[in-house]
Amino acid sequence: MATINCFRVGKRFGGLEVLKDIDLVVEEGEFLVLVGPSGCGKSTLLGLIAGLEEISSGDILISGRSVKGIHPSERDIAMVFQSYALYPSMSVGANMAFGLEMRKIPKEAREHRVAEVAKTLQIDHLLNRRPGQLSGGQRQRVAMGRALVRDPQVFLFDEPLSNLDAKLRVEMRTEIKRLHQSLKTTMVYVTHDQIEALTLATRIAVLKDGILQQHGTPNEIYNRPRNRFVAQFMGSPSMNLIPAILRRQDGTATAHINRKTEQAITLPMPPSVGSQLADGAAIEVGLRPETITDVTASEENGFVAFECVADVVEPAGSDTFLITRLGDKEIAARIRAETQVVSGDRVRLSIDRTKATFFDAGSGMRLAAAHEV
Amino acid sequence: MTLRRLAVYVPLIVAALFFLLPVFVMLFTSFKTLDEIRVGDLLALPASPTIEPWLSAWQSACVGLNCNGVRGFFLNTALMVVPAVIIITALGAVNGYILTQWPFPGHKLVFGLLLFGCFVPFQSVIIPMARVLGLTGLQNSIPGLVLVHVVYGIGFSTLFFRNYYDQFPRELVKAAQIDGANLFQIFWRIVLPVSGPIAVVCTIFLFTNIWNDFLFGASFTSGSNTPIMVALNNIVNTSTGVREYNVHMATAMITALPTLVVYIVSGKYFVRGLMAGSVKG
């Protein structure tokens, strides 16, 4: 078990700066997910922790020891790669034992350890096969097994599930989570899939263009995104951002969403939110699809209702997503599956105002309530 | 459909016959007696087949003043080709591995220069090479020829292996690094075991080229140290005595046989190796 400390970590490839001053702390036993769009530098950061890439500036400590200049094999880490990276000429057993063999662990101990891990991963019947004879899911298990036999301080995962089909991905996701719960080893996991990030992580770091956008628990990231990017990147369908005007009157604050043909919507705001902004400032209201829904009249307390025309109706089984327009923006609402709506219908929707987030239209930063600052 | 097949196969068969005809003539002639050659039809099958010309070519034909057949020269060539091919292939594999998996500053230039070496005409290096062989004391020797072929072959083998290893997943090397394998262990345990196809391609290509070399053999060796290609020339181009066409043909067949055998035995790997990497999966 180990902690990882990144201090102002930077990485340049020639003139290209792919990571800028990343400060991150991974506590013992934590499951950190690095998430972001392609090219955000998440895999590079993982490579720096693994020692596969050389750090350009800053420092990384694993268990309090600087790993600068320390070879990947001496960092007490194990890594699972996107392509699984199984040695094609070796049997599954030899693949798993290779790391131990290189560390000069006696043959008997190696075999014992491999058998033990193979059993927990249910691949003990595959030990004599070649990687080429395995299915994608089996290869994935072998790749994890190879990491597990070493019993390292830190596990690193580089998009390990992205080559699997949808069903298998969900199964393996659960399995990785279960693995973390039983091992309680520090894990760092790279993905571009925000659902994987939210389901697996104890903490998430969102990166964009080599800059750390936010580092927090899945709950914080989802409910209190630091900026517009994090808000829209996490969650599916992504958060609706609707342009609005901040109105301040007699110590109350409201967000006014103007609509072309319909009546404007007035959304009460906690007065302390965005206290630095004056009356009339341009803001954006962030509403996740599940906060715009159809509620019965008796439940409307705490909601702000409005009427709109359904543009597209997308049933998703458990819920139905309804695409409509609000304040000149296309928005997605999540309504009950039982509600019968067809495209073109006029529907009454309600906004859960307690769940609304507000962003400064200029900087894109979330307007925090006074007690958060 | 059948018409289209005909359009494909007829030209192919004609072309195959065109190339096979001289081989048939050689083969038939090598089993005929001299008398039959003198009176007979070039394309006729041997009336009374004899292996006498083959035996003569192997053990008693005269190369210059030495009448022991080509067996000694055959051995010379084998002693030249086998070490040369092994050394070149091994060096090419190491070069290709380093150039693709452990690129160092200037690796592109190094590869470019090696590639350039492939295109240097043989004739232009004869005199400098003769000087080098003289200085190193390797003139008129089989090791000298091995050296010359190694120098010439490295460019090709590096090209082959570099292109093959270029498709080799980088993540495998990274995984092996984390597992604690060093540069040499990664090569030996992980990269080399999957290099079979390209090694076969490289071997066939070099084996054929070096076995068939005449220029370097004729330039740098003489007497009993020449490779079989030079000996063949010396037998066929002799200006004294009776021209024993049957023996000449038998000698030519013996000379060509090893490359033919290598190609037939590993031909399917050759094609497979050339295709490797061009198609994913």
Side-chain angles (χ1 to χ4, degrees):
Chain A
M1 289 221 234
T3 57
I4 302 170
N5 291 278
C6 299
F7 291 118
R8 303 180 62 81
V9 169
K11 175 68 183 170
R12 278 179 301 277
F13 290 112
L16 189 70
E17 199 172 17
V18 289
L19 284 177
K20 285 165 212 153
D21 292 340
I22 304 288
D23 280 312
L24 260 183
V25 178
V26 188
E27 300 291 352
E28 207 166 289
E30 223 170 47
F31 196 125
L32 174 75
V33 174
L34 300 173
V35 67
S38 346
C40 70
K42 55 191 189 295
S43 286
T44 308
L45 182 56
L46 196 73
L48 291 176
I49 295 172
L52 297 169
E53 312 260 9
E54 218 164 295
I55 196 167
S56 303
S57 60
D59 200 0
I60 295 175
L61 311 185
I62 297 179
S63 291
R65 173 181 74 142
S66 170
V67 289
K68 235 188 210 171
I70 291 179
H71 191 267
S73 64
E74 279 145 31
R75 296 186 178 199
D76 205 3
I77 50 156
M79 189 156 169
V80 178
F81 292 88
Q82 185 176 7
S83 67
Y84 316 137
L86 301 177
Y87 312 129
S89 59
M90 295 182 202
S91 69
V92 166
N95 257 284
M96 288 169 66
F98 189 69
L100 300 176
E101 191 191 332
M102 290 296 119
R103 281 172 176 73
K104 308 212 162 53
I105 310 264
K107 191 156 191 263
E108 256 169 53
R110 292 202 302 256
E111 278 169 0
H112 180 74
R113 181 76 185 130
V114 167
E116 198 177 58
V117 171
K119 195 154 187 187
T120 45
L121 288 172
Q122 293 158 19
I123 48 172
D124 37 347
H125 59 295
L126 304 173
L127 287 178
N128 292 319
R129 301 234 193 125
R130 295 280 153 112
Q133 300 166 301
L134 304 180
S135 70
Q138 290 169 332
R139 284 180 211 189
Q140 170 63 48
R141 277 168 199 275
V142 175
M144 295 210 330
R146 190 173 61 184
L148 282 171
V149 288
R150 294 249 322 276
D151 195 18
Q153 282 194 73
V154 180
F155 283 100
L156 305 175
F157 295 89
D158 190 4
E159 307 209 23
L161 304 182
S162 58
N163 285 343
L164 298 177
D165 64 57
K167 187 169 172 286
L168 206 52
R169 196 180 308 162
V170 175
E171 283 174 26
M172 289 308 290
R173 196 169 74 196
T174 311
E175 208 151 316
I176 291 177
K177 182 137 189 169
R178 189 175 292 136
L179 194 72
H180 178 250
Q181 283 169 355
S182 64
L183 292 175
K184 298 186 175 65
T185 309
T186 311
M187 297 187 180
V188 182
Y189 186 106
V190 164
T191 181
H192 59 264
D193 182 343
Q194 46 88 23
I195 297 180
E196 254 171 49
L198 289 168
T199 47
L200 285 172
T202 59
R203 235 167 241 275
I204 297 175
V206 185
L207 283 119
K208 183 197 171 211
D209 300 332
I211 296 168
L212 182 63
Q213 304 290 317
Q214 191 173 0
H215 178 208
T217 64
N219 182 28
E220 281 166 359
I221 298 275
Y222 191 78
N223 293 314
R224 296 205 297 277
R226 230 179 107 229
N227 58 32
R228 207 153 45 190
F229 172 78
V230 176
Q232 290 217 293
F233 190 77
M234 304 301 287
S236 170
S238 56
M239 181 187 268
N240 302 299
L241 287 177
I242 305 146
I245 306 290
L246 175 70
R247 289 267 174 256
R248 289 197 182 281
Q249 243 168 357
D250 312 327
T252 65
T254 49
H256 274 257
I257 302 168
N258 284 317
R259 308 175 75 191
K260 255 189 200 135
T261 50
E262 319 247 356
Q263 201 192 343
I265 297 172
T266 307
L267 213 57
M269 291 168 66
S272 62
V273 165
S275 46
Q276 72 278 24
L277 292 182
D279 182 54
I283 58 169
E284 277 177 351
V285 180
L287 295 169
R288 295 219 176 262
E290 65 266 26
T291 66
I292 310 174
T293 184
D294 57 332
V295 290
T296 53
S298 60
E299 295 168 335
E300 266 189 19
N301 194 9
F303 285 79
V304 176
F306 67 99
E307 290 206 334
C308 60
V309 176
D311 186 8
V312 180
V313 181
E314 297 173 346
S318 57
D319 312 279
T320 298
F321 289 103
L322 191 147
I323 314 296
T324 180
R325 296 193 76 80
L326 182 62
D328 271 354
K329 286 270 282 220
E330 192 168 84
I331 62 158
R334 186 162 156 185
I335 62 173
R336 296 166 215 226
E338 306 87 69
T339 311
Q340 295 296 318
V341 196
V342 289
S343 170
D345 280 1
R346 244 190 117 65
V347 277
R348 186 178 166 80
L349 297 176
S350 298
I351 298 168
D352 182 348
R353 62 190 175 95
T354 59
K355 296 277 174 59
T357 40
F358 303 92
F359 298 88
D360 184 334
S363 66
M365 298 305 282
R366 189 170 69 91
L367 302 170
H371 66 269
E372 291 179 63
V373 181
Chain B
M1 189 60 200
T2 40
L3 200 71
R4 222 199 268 172
R5 286 243 162 141
L6 276 180
V8 171
Y9 283 107
V10 169
L12 281 178
I13 291 166
V14 170
L17 283 176
F18 181 76
F19 282 101
L20 281 175
L21 205 60
V23 179
F24 287 140
V25 171
M26 277 173 71
L27 206 58
F28 297 163
T29 309
S30 71
F31 287 108
K32 287 174 184 172
T33 59
L34 265 184
D35 292 336
E36 197 188 340
I37 294 169
R38 230 167 273 134
V39 295
D41 181 355
L42 199 63
L43 287 170
L45 286 169
S48 50
T50 166
I51 58 161
E52 203 51 47
W54 283 73
L55 293 176
S56 166
W58 186 247
Q59 55 200 8
S60 64
C62 293
V63 182
L65 297 173
N66 171 0
C67 290
N68 286 323
V70 292
R71 51 190 169 175
F73 301 99
F74 189 93
L75 189 67
N76 280 352
T77 298
L79 287 177
M80 168 182 78
V81 173
V82 174
V85 167
I86 291 171
I87 294 170
I88 299 167
T89 307
L91 287 174
V94 173
N95 285 351
Y97 168 63
I98 298 294
L99 285 170
T100 54
Q101 305 298 333
W102 302 91
F104 49 91
H107 72 278
K108 281 189 178 155
L109 181 71
V110 170
F111 179 58
L113 290 173
L114 278 167
L115 211 55
F116 183 69
C118 297
F119 299 107
V120 174
F122 284 6
Q123 289 80 355
S124 70
V125 299
I126 286 182
I127 291 171
M129 189 60 88
R131 179 93 184 110
V132 169
L133 291 178
L135 287 173
T136 50
L138 292 171
Q139 75 278 22
N140 195 18
S141 73
I142 293 301
L145 285 180
V146 171
L147 176 71
V148 175
H149 286 295
V150 166
V151 169
Y152 247 107
I154 285 176
F156 287 101
S157 65
T158 303
L159 174 67
F160 284 142
F161 278 96
R162 195 207 80 110
N163 288 355
Y164 187 74
Y165 290 153
D166 205 35
Q167 311 287 327
F168 193 82
R170 303 286 185 277
E171 285 194 343
L172 277 176
V173 173
K174 290 183 181 175
Q177 273 180 278
I178 290 177
D179 270 343
N182 62 31
L183 183 139
F184 179 75
Q185 285 169 320
I186 294 172
F187 179 61
W188 193 250
R189 298 286 306 273
I190 292 153
V191 176
L192 211 54
V194 295
S195 306
I198 199 64
V200 171
V201 169
C202 196
T203 301
I204 295 181
F205 179 84
L206 293 169
F207 189 94
T208 312
N209 269 0
I210 299 172
W211 189 281
N212 289 340
D213 167 65
F214 176 76
L215 185 69
F216 289 146
S219 307
F220 302 135
T221 54
S222 61
S224 62
N225 287 329
T226 63
I228 195 167
M229 277 301 155
V230 178
L232 171 67
N233 173 69
N234 291 348
I235 289 178
V236 174
N237 282 339
T238 180
S239 52
T240 52
V242 186
R243 282 191 163 266
E244 296 177 303
Y245 289 111
N246 50 2
V247 175
H248 295 173
M249 294 304 178
T251 314
M253 290 303 294
I254 290 172
T255 307
L257 223 48
T259 51
L260 215 60
V261 168
V262 165
Y263 196 83
I264 289 168
V265 168
S266 47
K268 72 175 180 215
Y269 296 102
F270 187 66
V271 175
R272 211 183 288 162
L274 285 180
M275 297 292 289
S278 55
V279 184
K280 265 216 155 174

